[in-house]
Amino acid sequence: MVLASGRHKSILKISEAPFPSAWHIEISGHLTKKELKRSFPKAISNDERFLAKGTDQLAQILRRCAELAVSLPDQAYQNYNQLVKNEIKNNRPSKTEVERLIRQRIGQSVFKDALLDYWEGRCAVTGIALPQILRACHIKPWAKCDTDKERLDVFNGLLLSANLDALFDRGLITFNENGKLICSPQVSKEHQSLLQLKGNPRLRWISSEHTNYLDWHKKNIFSPC
């Protein structure tokens, strides 16, 4: 069975494996495959295909494939362009400022949807899955990005609970290359304790594609003193 969609370029091939109730899964796209390996490290077979043992694991892998397919590598940017094009065509804004606001509104919505898919609907640090308190946090802020593609890059964002989003946005915390949370000296030990920032909290995972953005945040947003 081959699965594909008009919404994205990923193609998924499912075939029977030579074991009872088992299937081989092949996925196109290097980045999607890399992220799927991180999610299911024990399901990768010697020939670089994924092996699902049972229908439950097959469903889990297919669900994760769908989440990655609509967020990687630049699907959010593609969706954004189409939505902006339709909105401007239908409403024909007369002022440049109005068009800028339309682009920003659509961009923020598309960006959050992409982060929800990529981070599996959970805070990138705590893992809490309460949508009402989750924020789509840009690592390199929207206004500082050079292009829309950079603004909509899923790796230029973290899905964070509201308190972590506020701290990160104001440069009071950042993350190192291993995903470990670093506190600014401006956050006292007492406040760290109250905010539950002690105990070496870290990102649930980190990809190499996050690195350049996090380096930018440490150099330009984070308060080291």
Side-chain angles (χ1 to χ4, degrees), residues 10-13 25-30 32-33 36 50 65 69:
S10 294
I11 298 175
L12 194 76
K13 182 179 179 181
I25 301 169
E26 298 176 65
I27 181 75
S28 65
H30 169 72
T32 303
K33 188 173 182 178
L36 200 62
F50 291 89
C65 283

Side-chain angles (χ1 to χ4, degrees), residues 66-111:
E67 290 172 341
L68 294 171
V70 296
S71 60
L72 298 176
D74 59 354
Q75 191 62 41
Y77 174 66
Q78 301 297 333
N79 293 344
Y80 163 79
N81 279 337
Q82 187 60 52
L83 289 169
V84 167
K85 181 179 178 181
N86 293 341
E87 181 84 7
I88 291 176
K89 180 181 178 181
N90 293 333
N91 294 288
R92 298 182 180 181
S94 58
K95 295 182 180 180
T96 303
E97 177 65 14
V98 175
E99 182 175 332
R100 185 188 69 81
L101 292 174
I102 288 173
R103 289 180 177 275
Q104 186 166 343
R105 171 176 56 79
I106 293 174
Q108 296 290 358
S109 176
V110 169
F111 186 66

Side-chain angles (χ1 to χ4, degrees), residues 23-24 46 52 71 79 114 121-122 136 145 168 171 178 202 208 221:
W23 294 269
H24 281 304
N46 293 333
S71 60
N79 293 344
R122 298 177 180 272
C145 291
F168 188 79
N178 297 314
R202 60 178 60 244
S208 58
I221 304 292

